Every structure is written in structure tokens, then in C-alpha cells.
Amino acid sequence: MARLERVLEFISRRSIRKGWLALVILFFLSFVIIPTIFVLTYAFTNWDAINSVVLSDPVKMTMITNAIINSFEIAGLVTLIDFMAGLPMAWIMVRKKFRGKALVDTLIDMPLVVPTAALGFSAALFWGIAPGDIVNPLGLGVVSSPLLLLILLHIVFSYPYMVRSLSAILEQIDQNYETAGRTLGASPLTAARTITLPLFRAGLVTGIILCLARSLSETGGTVIALATLSGSKGFNTGPTLIDGWKAIAQTTDPNYNAALAFVSILLIIIALVLMVLIRVVVKRVHLPMGKVWPRPEKLLSRGFFPKLKDSSTMVFLAVMVLLPSFFIFTCVFVFNPTSSGNWGGFGSSIIYSFTVAGVVTLVDLALGVPLALYIARGRSKRLPEVIDTMVNIPLIVPTAALGYSLSLFWVGGNAVNSDVGMLLVILAHIAFTYPLVVRNVTGAVEEVDPAFEETARTLGAKPIQAFRRVLLPMIKSSILAGAIMAFTRSLGETGATRAVVSNANTAPNFIVTLITKAPKDFYSAALACIILIAISYVLMLGLRYFTRRGKGAN
Amino acid sequence: MPSVRLEGVQKRYGDIHAADDLNLEVRDGEYLCLLGPTGAGKTTALRVVCGLTSLDSGKVFIDDKDVTDLEPERRGTALLSQTYSLFPQLTVAENILFGPDIHDLPEEERRRTLADMLDLVRLTKRPDAFPRELSGGMMQRTALARALASGAEVLLFDEPLRALDARLRISLRHELRSLAKSLKITVIHVTHDQDEALVMADRIGLIRNGHILQVGEPAQVYDNPISPFVANFVGQSNFVTGEIIDKGVKTTVKTESGMTVFARPCAMEVGEQVVVGVKIGNTEIAREGDSFFEGIVERVLFEGRNLHIDLLVEGTVHFSAKIPSWRLGKLASGDKVMIKWSPESASVFKMPEKGLREELRVE
């Protein structure tokens, strides 16, 4: 007891607290931020290599230009569609009550946690015209353009982000404004459009940035979808280009490192600039929303039209999001079972993935919660504000570029043995999951009145005791939610993993290999996807359980 | 029972002086009310005492020991915030035992403390209730018990009655004060409600812009305000400005509009520009009789026991009077009335440097 007392006394010293905080910030900078953007320095140190390998090679240049144009075209269109279909859905989820709402709510979240590799396979089989050996007769088989297929795929996993961001804001908007508008004679549509919609800006920024970032980042599902579509050879997005070249650089031609660095730099810079622009544009530019067309809007508010809007929203969810996600289950009945299935390999890849995700989550929690406290409780100071902004960077940077940058930082982009490889994969996953924990916990801590901890201090509690006994119970559910998000993201990540170690033995990578490398084994791939989806589903139920409980306690 | 002393405390947030050469002495076992308008630096003063706000300069003493650099948990000064900050995940009993748990007291002592405290604040029937199940008064009593159980000998109340409804607020004034007195603890009670301060305090400290203006017993602060601001903040006052033309057993002041008024004797010299302040309750109005000057009734507000009369008087901005409500019906807006007061009820102040209007401003 006395020893515990002494330990408490020791860690409560001001110098120790300051030291620990400095350590956390140092970790954040040197393990998260700097590795994420380290590749930018390559432009200064190795310009000659870039010049000779990339800029003077018109074939590579064309490939890079096309890939990047594809990436941003897909991301832009996907975000636009997400917004148009997501807005009425957010409205339904927040303002309407109907039977089965909880189920719809769960289904919308589903694609958030399922590894995109599994989604990519499922959606490609559903929409695409597959090469002869993997035709699933139940699939629609209507899409032959890789661009269109990727748009359809990216909608599946980015749509939930848009709906979540918009409904989070809508929940906070006082409905009384709209009611007041209605009592002053506005039709429901006019009131919603002129009063509530302009209040959406903050949610819109979050939603747009999340969708863009997710689409720009996505690698695993995209690689698989392209491999599952006949005639898509030579079509690339930024991340798939990195993915393909990384394998070449690691095995045959180290010269490709310069090309990799160049693509990564382009992706990072364009993504960051774009995000800043969006923030400015959405916040500053005011659309002339004040104009009112009473008669047509009144007409559109009545009878048939709202029903049409709601039902088409639901149909969109079912056809564009849910069916493509779950289509994979039909493959079990359609594909021929292969006897050569490498289930031992899949088992060990799942263990590998879980080990990585577990370690990553623990590190995120241990070093992310203190940083979140620092940000949330230091709002008025300069440094916490700066760190708060920096936390977003790894969320925005495409993970394939992040992964390449990180491997360049730690091992100079060279191939490594499998032990070091695992360590690198862990570091890469920490870099893009750490912000998720920090964001979640920061939000929760900001909701808690600092008076609670302060009162505890004046009642005799040391800072660590005030945290453990007072604050921690209040933010527990958000910490858990952040942890589960980090865990599922790590479990489902493909792009960063392959950019660090192109043959890392993670579960998503195992599936990618099954589909893209001979001998191809689609039956095993489909089963592996189903197993991954099942595991993710269980994790998501856990997530919902904890977040729900958090809400109930307030 | 410790005393508390602040010496030359400075605290700035950007351009705002939350504490500007703040000096305050609270005696052993004293109940001191810190009274001031919103944004005057009342809460900052409390947070400085318990160590939650660090100082730019100055010193804090508790029991004559310099505690300026001591952590909040070492000071024995429990803060009761406006919203009580009862820990929502803990029951009443667990909340009360927060301090003893932290200090790892033996089980026997803990049980005794809990029983004593529950008894003291009349919550023996609700130890297992959660804060959200309690009424405002009960929450407040729980917070008080929790502070006392932590062994704190100085209690810092930050607007403790603000969140309660009006009736309860008034009945709890007495209860809170007598509890503090019977336990002989030192209390600093922050409020912007002058009635509350007048009823509860041993002494009142008037604070404005992070600076203590006047400290004194309630009657002293009320009757002998040190400045027009204090005169107006503790019981509303009427003011006229003018020049001293005669002094002796009473001060004679001639206003700019040529009226002559009387006030109590003062230290200022003939010819000086001054402000004469008189509490609105001491302002007498009548239909006829001798008077200092005339006014016109602008508005009559019925307040139950009293009538509040707003008057139009030449050369003043606001002018009001409070008269017993049996005179309702005898005065109507538009009536001409004669205004006077007894000279000993009016104070004379130096003309403030920035003018009277700026002096009276409550931001």
C-alpha cells in the first residue's frame, strides 16, 4: 500500500507529468506525423533519381497522370453521389421513426468495419463482367468500365461515412428553427432547404473529407475489383499504382523506388491541398439559398413526392450498398469448391492480422488517450491547437502513400525480413489508426465539463486519480469505440500494409494474393471474405453495444 | 480553522485582467461573500485560492503558509462549483466518500464519516441514489457533504444557489450559513446577488475588474459605500452631480441644473465636483411639501410589498424611488412629484475620472 502511495506521489510530480506529456508529443511527431509525410523530403534529396527514372520516361509519366486523374475522378464522383443519396438518408435516420430502424442503422454501418478487400470482391462479382473462370451467374454482369466499377465499389464503403457525418450534425440542429419556419408559413421543403440545410456546413465538411479520403486511400478492394473485371488491365488508381510498383521495386527493379516516391508525393500534396480548399470553400462560399419558390416547393412537399424521395433513398441503400456487400455469400453455392484450399495459410494470416491489430490498438490507447486529453483540455493554447490540426493529416493522406513514406523513413524503402516487416506493418497501422483514437477521445473529453476533474482535485485527488476515478468512467465508451474502430481499420487495411511490405501475411493481403496471383483460387477467396465479414460483424456489434451504452448513461 | 490571504495577485487572459492587484484577507471561520457583476473576476479569485488557476504574480497564503506553488489536492480548499459537479457515475454515498477513498482512510473511519455527513445534510434515506435522481437542494447538500468529508477546512462556493428555484434559494441561504458557522469552517462564497450577500456574509468583498473595491460588514458596505459603483451595486442608488457650495454638519451641493441638495458631511472641499448618491429606498416623494427638486412619474411598477416608481428628473439619467404599496393608486404616470431625502442618508463621492456613466457600467 505504502509503495503504491509512493508510486502515485512520484508520477504526480509536476516534472514527471511534464516529461510524460513531452514523451507523448514526441511519439506523435516521430512515429505518426513525420513518417507519414517523410517522403516529401525525397523530392529534395533524390531529385536526380526522380528526374531520370520518372520525368524523362513518358510511359511512366502517362501511367502516373492517368492513375492520379482516375483516383480524383472516382473520389469526386463518389463523394457527390454519397452526398445526394446520403442527405435524405440522414434525414430519415434522425427525424423519422419506423419499425426496423435499428436494423437499418446497423446495416448502414456494416461497410465501415468490413475489410474493403472482401467488399471489393463482393461488389465486383455483383456488378462486373468477370473473366470466364469466375462468372457468378447470379451477378448482374453489366459493368465493363473499370472506372464505373470502382465508383460503384467506393460508394459501398464511403456512403456510411457521409450518412454518419450528416446525421451527427442533424441531430444537433434544433428542430424548433424549422418548426418556427413552418408556423411562419413555409412548406416542409422550403423550411428544410432554407433553414436547416445551411446549418449543415460543419457536417458537410467532415462528410466530404471522410469520403474523399477513404476513396483516395482505398487499395485492397480496388486491386481485387480490377482483377475480377475482364479487360481492366492497365487501369490504375494512385494506390494501385503504388501497390504494383512496390512489388516490382521489392523484387526486380529497385529503380522503381524513385517512381514510388514521386507518386506518393503527388498523392499526399494533392490530398492535403484539396482538403484545405474544401474547408475554406464550404465554410466561406454562401450559396444563394434564401430564394423561395412557394408554389412548386409546396407541391413537392405533399403526397407523392416525399414518399418517392424516401423510398428511392431506401432502394439506393439496398441496391447500391447492401446487395453488393453481401453478394459474396452466394458464391459459396455457385463456385466449385477447390480441394487445394490453403486454410492453414489463411489461419496464420488471421492470427498475424489480429496480432498486428491488437498491438496497434494497445499502443493507440496508451499514447492516444493522453494526447487527446492534452488537446481537449488545452483549447486556449497554441500548441494543442496545432497538434489538433496535425492529427488529421494521417487521416487524409492515402494510406498507400503513407505506407511507402513510412517504409522510406524507417528502412529507406528496402525489402526487410519478416520480423522487421511485422514491426513495420504495426508502425504503419499505428500511423493511420492513432488519429481515430485521438479524434474519438478528444470529442468525448470536450463534452465533459472540466469542473468534474477540478472539483476532484480540490477534494484531494492527484491528477492521475482524478482521471481514473472521475473522467475515465465518463469517457470509457468513447475510448472503447475508438479502440474498436482502430482495431477494425487495422484488420481491414490493405494499401498501407502492401506499401510497406508487399508480401506481408495479413488476412486482406492473403485474399488479394488468392485473387491476383496464379494459381487463382476464387472459392477459397470467397470463403475467406465471408469469414472476415463475420468477424467484422461481431466486432461491429461490440462497437454498437458500447456506443449505445455510452449514450444511455448520459 | 485557517485564514486565507491573497497578496497582489495578477492574472491576465490576453487583454482581460481577471485579477488586477487582488488583495483579500479572509479570517478564521469567517463567512465572506465575494460580490460583483458578471466577469468581475470572482471565479478567478476562487480558483486562485484552491490552486486551479496559476498566477502571473502575487502570493496565496492559507493559515499564513505560502501555498502559491502547492498543487490543488494539497491545499484543503474544496471547491463547490455552480453545477455542484457531483460525479454522475457514483451514488450519493460514493460521492461523499470520494475524499476519504482517495486518502485511503480505514474502513471504520470511512463508515463513521459517511454516517455523520448523511446525518448532517439530512440525506440518511438516500445514500444509494444517483445524482440525477436528486432534487437541486439535495444535490447541493450532497456536494457540501462531499467537500466536508474530504477534510477541507476552507470551502469555496461558486454561486452555490444559482441553479435553484427562487423560493428554495432563499430558504437555503440560512441553512448554508448556519451549517458553516456550526462547523467553524472558513467560507468564501461568490455571488452576483446582493441580497444573498447581505443576508449571508460576515463581511462582503466588492470586486470589479479583478480588483477588490471595498471589504466590510454588510451594513457598512450598504450604508457607507466607497464609490458610486458600490452604492449602486449593493442596493440601487440615485445619483446627482454637482459642486460643493457649503460644508459643515451637512454638505450642500449645487447641481448643474441649479438645484440644491443636501448630503452627509464629507472630507471634500468647497468647489469640488462631486456625485451625491442616495439609495432608492431612501428617496422620498410626495405630491407636495418642501423638496430639493421636482420630477415627473414615468412609470409605476407594483412589486407586492413595494411600489417601484421610475421618475423623469432633469439632469439625471435614471431616477427611481421605492415606496410602500398602500400608496398604489395615489400616483399615476404623468404626475408631478416633489423629491427629497434626509441628508444623512446620502453619500458624497469624488467625481469619477471617467465620468459617472462609465463608473456605473455593469458589463
Side-chain angles (χ1 to χ4, degrees):
Chain A
M1 234 40 200
R3 185 176 298 165
L4 183 73
E5 189 69 15
R6 238 174 294 151
V7 171
L8 270 178
E9 195 68 38
F10 180 71
I11 59 173
S12 298
R13 283 196 206 156
R14 244 175 254 189
S15 54
I16 299 294
R17 268 151 58 201
K18 285 230 170 81
W20 165 240
L21 182 63
L23 204 70
V24 168
I25 295 176
L26 195 69
F27 166 85
F28 171 66
L29 292 177
S30 54
F31 282 81
V32 178
I33 290 298
I34 296 175
T36 299
I37 52 174
F38 179 73
V39 70
L40 299 181
T41 64
Y42 195 94
F44 302 105
T45 54
N46 292 51
W47 184 251
D48 293 341
I50 290 180
N51 208 2
S52 63
V53 178
V54 192
L55 297 180
S56 51
D57 180 348
V59 181
K60 282 208 188 79
M61 277 310 284
T62 323
M63 281 177 82
I64 292 174
T65 326
N66 287 342
I68 286 186
I69 290 175
N70 286 338
S71 265
F72 284 92
E73 205 173 323
I74 292 168
L77 286 169
V78 164
T79 306
L80 188 68
I81 297 170
D82 282 342
F83 173 67
M84 294 196 328
L87 187 61
M89 185 49 98
W91 220 280
I92 291 174
M93 296 315 289
V94 174
R95 294 281 171 83
K96 294 237 160 89
K97 285 201 181 97
F98 56 93
R99 214 189 300 174
K101 183 169 162 181
L103 180 68
V104 175
D105 205 40
T106 314
L107 289 173
I108 292 176
D109 276 353
M110 188 72 196
L112 285 182
V113 291
V114 176
T116 50
L119 285 181
F121 193 33
S122 186
L125 289 173
F126 180 70
W127 293 113
I129 300 172
D133 49 349
I134 42 167
V135 170
N136 181 335
L138 299 173
L140 294 180
V142 290
V143 175
S144 61
S145 141
L147 189 76
L148 183 58
L149 180 68
L150 291 185
I151 289 175
L152 291 169
L153 167 64
H154 286 200
I155 286 173
V156 173
F157 53 75
S158 62
Y159 179 74
Y161 284 100
M162 184 60 87
V163 176
R164 285 284 159 251
S165 311
L166 293 180
S167 48
I169 286 292
L170 188 59
E171 250 164 38
Q172 285 172 13
I173 295 176
D174 192 344
Q175 210 176 341
N176 283 335
Y177 295 133
E178 224 175 294
T179 316
R182 303 263 333 257
T183 63
L184 295 171
S187 65
L189 178 63
T190 313
R193 189 178 60 79
T194 56
I195 299 168
T196 305
L197 214 51
L199 297 171
F200 257 106
R201 282 164 193 277
L204 196 56
V205 175
T206 322
I208 290 179
I209 289 181
L210 282 173
C211 286
L212 278 178
R214 199 76 174 109
S215 169
L216 285 178
S217 263
E218 215 295 315
T219 318
T222 310
V223 169
I224 289 178
L226 291 176
T228 318
L229 184 73
S230 63
S232 66
K233 216 164 180 52
F235 186 91
N236 268 310
T237 64
T240 65
L241 199 62
I242 292 179
D243 192 62
W245 285 358
K246 173 72 184 181
I248 300 174
Q250 218 167 28
T251 49
T252 51
D253 185 0
N255 267 337
Y256 270 80
N257 271 319
L260 279 169
F262 185 65
V263 183
S264 301
I265 290 171
L266 277 184
L267 276 178
I268 291 177
I269 289 179
I270 300 179
L272 289 179
V273 168
L274 196 64
M275 301 308 153
V276 173
L277 272 182
I278 288 168
R279 253 169 216 281
V280 174
V281 168
V282 178
K283 284 203 177 131
R284 295 275 161 77
V285 176
H286 290 255
L287 292 175
M289 297 287 267
K291 188 161 170 48
V292 174
W293 299 272
R295 208 159 296 173
E297 289 194 333
K298 195 167 276 179
L299 191 71
L300 284 174
S301 297
R302 285 228 194 96
F304 173 69
F305 289 103
K307 288 208 182 82
L308 180 70
K309 181 199 71 184
D310 288 353
S311 52
S312 56
T313 305
M314 284 300 180
V315 169
F316 182 90
L317 175 70
V319 176
M320 305 294 282
V321 179
L322 298 180
L323 271 182
S325 323
F326 292 108
F327 186 70
I328 190 84
F329 284 89
T330 63
C331 295
V332 187
F333 310 110
V334 174
F335 288 173
N336 294 322
T338 39
S339 49
S340 64
N342 178 9
W343 294 111
F346 183 58
S348 71
S349 77
I350 287 208
I351 292 172
Y352 186 101
S353 274
F354 268 75
T355 313
V356 169
V359 174
V360 163
T361 309
L362 285 181
V363 174
D364 284 349
L365 286 182
L367 296 164
V369 175
L371 193 74
L373 288 177
Y374 178 61
I375 293 174
R377 290 296 183 235
R379 270 288 172 225
S380 53
K381 298 193 198 103
R382 183 69 54 86
L383 186 59
E385 281 295 330
V386 173
I387 290 181
D388 188 39
T389 314
M390 284 204 289
V391 165
N392 294 324
I393 294 177
L395 288 178
I396 292 163
V397 168
T399 51
L402 181 151
Y404 183 71
S405 176
L406 188 121
S407 86
L408 204 61
F409 180 72
W410 291 112
V411 295
N414 296 315
V416 289
N417 69 38
S418 62
D419 289 338
V420 181
M422 188 167 189
L423 184 64
L424 277 187
V425 171
I426 288 174
L427 287 177
H429 286 206
I430 287 174
F432 66 84
T433 55
Y434 185 78
L436 292 174
V437 172
V438 175
R439 274 275 84 85
N440 256 295
V441 179
T442 306
V445 175
E446 275 170 356
E447 298 269 299
V448 178
D449 187 347
F452 285 115
E453 292 146 86
E454 290 174 351
T455 307
R457 295 287 306 277
T458 70
L459 292 172
K462 297 186 172 65
I464 181 91
Q465 291 170 316
F467 171 72
R468 196 175 67 77
R469 287 169 185 255
V470 177
L471 186 60
L472 186 61
M474 298 186 194
I475 59 169
K476 203 166 51 188
S477 62
S478 295
I479 294 181
L480 277 167
I484 294 176
M485 272 165 100
F487 193 90
T488 49
R489 270 303 287 276
S490 166
L491 205 59
E493 178 62 25
T494 320
T497 315
R498 286 166 65 91
V500 178
V501 185
S502 69
N503 55 352
N505 186 27
T506 64
N509 206 0
F510 183 84
I511 297 174
V512 171
T513 313
L514 278 182
I515 293 169
T516 55
K517 286 242 173 69
K520 299 181 179 184
D521 182 353
F522 297 109
Y523 179 75
S524 302
L527 264 187
C529 285
I530 292 171
I531 293 170
L532 264 191
I533 290 177
I535 294 173
S536 312
Y537 188 70
V538 172
L539 284 173
M540 189 185 61
L541 287 184
L543 178 72
R544 295 186 66 83
Y545 175 72
F546 286 120
T547 44
R548 177 84 45 82
R549 231 180 34 168
K551 261 180 208 159
N554 286 335
Chain B
M1 298 311 110
S3 61
V4 176
R5 198 164 79 243
L6 301 180
E7 281 183 6
V9 171
Q10 295 280 1
K11 179 71 188 178
R12 297 183 66 145
Y13 296 103
D15 290 340
I16 299 162
H17 273 99
D20 184 12
D21 192 22
L22 186 69
N23 293 293
L24 181 66
E25 173 144 23
V26 189
R27 299 168 190 153
D28 275 10
E30 184 174 40
Y31 200 112
L32 183 122
C33 280
L34 209 48
L35 176 66
T38 313
K42 304 186 293 275
T43 302
T44 303
L46 276 199
R47 293 174 61 92
V48 163
V49 171
C50 64
L52 291 172
T53 295
S54 60
L55 312 183
D56 295 345
S57 66
K59 288 208 176 304
V60 184
F61 297 88
I62 292 175
D63 227 0
D64 290 325
K65 277 196 291 286
D66 185 349
V67 297
T68 314
D69 289 320
L70 214 56
E71 298 278 345
E73 64 265 22
R74 297 270 184 88
R75 296 194 183 192
T77 52
L79 175 73
L80 267 81
S81 68
Q82 271 181 38
T83 48
Y84 318 128
S85 299
L86 291 176
F87 307 134
Q89 72 275 19
L90 304 181
T91 62
V92 167
E94 288 165 341
N95 261 292
I96 294 176
L97 284 177
F98 185 83
D101 279 347
I102 293 279
H103 295 126
D104 230 346
L105 295 186
E107 183 58 35
E108 177 59 25
E109 204 174 328
R110 252 191 283 203
R111 209 172 320 136
R112 206 175 50 237
T113 312
L114 178 61
D116 285 354
M117 286 303 153
L118 287 172
D119 197 42
L120 185 70
V121 298
R122 295 181 283 108
L123 279 167
T124 28
K125 288 187 183 149
R126 305 295 303 274
D128 297 323
F130 282 95
R132 61 176 175 276
E133 301 162 3
L134 300 178
S135 69
M138 286 172 166
M139 280 160 80
Q140 210 234 17
R141 275 154 30 209
T142 308
L144 187 64
R146 181 177 66 176
L148 292 170
S150 76
E153 293 182 323
V154 177
L155 292 193
L156 308 171
F157 294 155
D158 190 356
E159 308 248 10
L161 304 176
R162 188 178 202 171
L164 305 172
D165 62 73
R167 206 171 276 274
L168 189 61
R169 191 154 54 207
I170 287 169
S171 74
L172 275 179
R173 283 176 184 169
H174 174 67
E175 186 175 328
L176 207 55
R177 179 184 155 86
S178 57
L179 195 62
K181 282 287 153 193
S182 68
L183 295 166
K184 298 198 174 69
I185 43 179
T186 307
V187 175
I188 307 180
H189 174 140
V190 152
T191 179
H192 66 278
D193 181 341
Q194 43 131 343
D195 292 334
E196 195 172 298
L198 288 171
V199 173
M200 296 181 77
D202 290 332
R203 288 191 305 155
I204 294 176
L206 256 299
I207 184 170
R208 188 189 195 194
N209 297 335
H211 190 74
I212 298 285
L213 299 174
Q214 184 175 8
V215 182
E217 287 166 17
Q220 194 187 350
V221 174
Y222 188 87
D223 288 330
N224 275 316
I226 201 169
S227 69
F229 176 79
V230 176
N232 198 37
F233 198 77
V234 186
Q236 215 182 330
S237 286
N238 293 318
F239 298 98
V240 293
T241 54
E243 184 188 327
I244 299 182
I245 53 170
D246 189 23
K247 56 181 287 187
V249 286
K250 59 184 181 189
T251 310
T252 311
V253 174
K254 185 162 189 171
T255 70
E256 283 128 26
S257 48
M259 306 170 300
T260 305
V261 301
F262 300 114
R264 63 173 76 137
C266 70
M268 276 151 282
E269 297 303 325
V270 171
E272 268 191 83
Q273 287 294 318
V274 292
V275 175
V276 174
V278 58
K279 291 264 153 33
I280 62 169
N282 292 333
T283 306
E284 297 164 19
I285 56 174
R287 298 299 284 269
E288 48 207 27
D290 57 330
S291 70
F292 298 153
F293 46 82
E294 293 173 351
I296 294 179
V297 176
E298 187 184 19
R299 202 171 13 235
V300 178
L301 297 171
F302 179 69
E303 287 180 342
R305 189 200 301 265
N306 290 318
L307 296 180
H308 181 100
I309 316 282
D310 283 331
L311 299 154
L312 284 176
V313 174
E314 197 192 337
T316 68
V317 185
H318 298 289
F319 215 93
S320 308
K322 244 180 204 13
I323 56 173
S325 53
W326 56 261
R327 288 172 73 183
L328 182 66
K330 302 196 167 142
L331 284 170
S333 53
D335 288 358
K336 196 165 82 175
V337 290
M338 317 304 282
I339 300 169
K340 64 168 184 169
W341 54 79
S342 65
E344 56 275 18
S345 70
S347 315
V348 185
F349 309 102
K350 264 199 170 63
M351 178 62 89
E353 279 167 30
K354 290 177 181 167
L356 183 60
R357 191 186 275 260
E358 183 62 27
E359 163 76 12
L360 296 180
R361 206 157 64 91
V362 175
E363 49 280 275

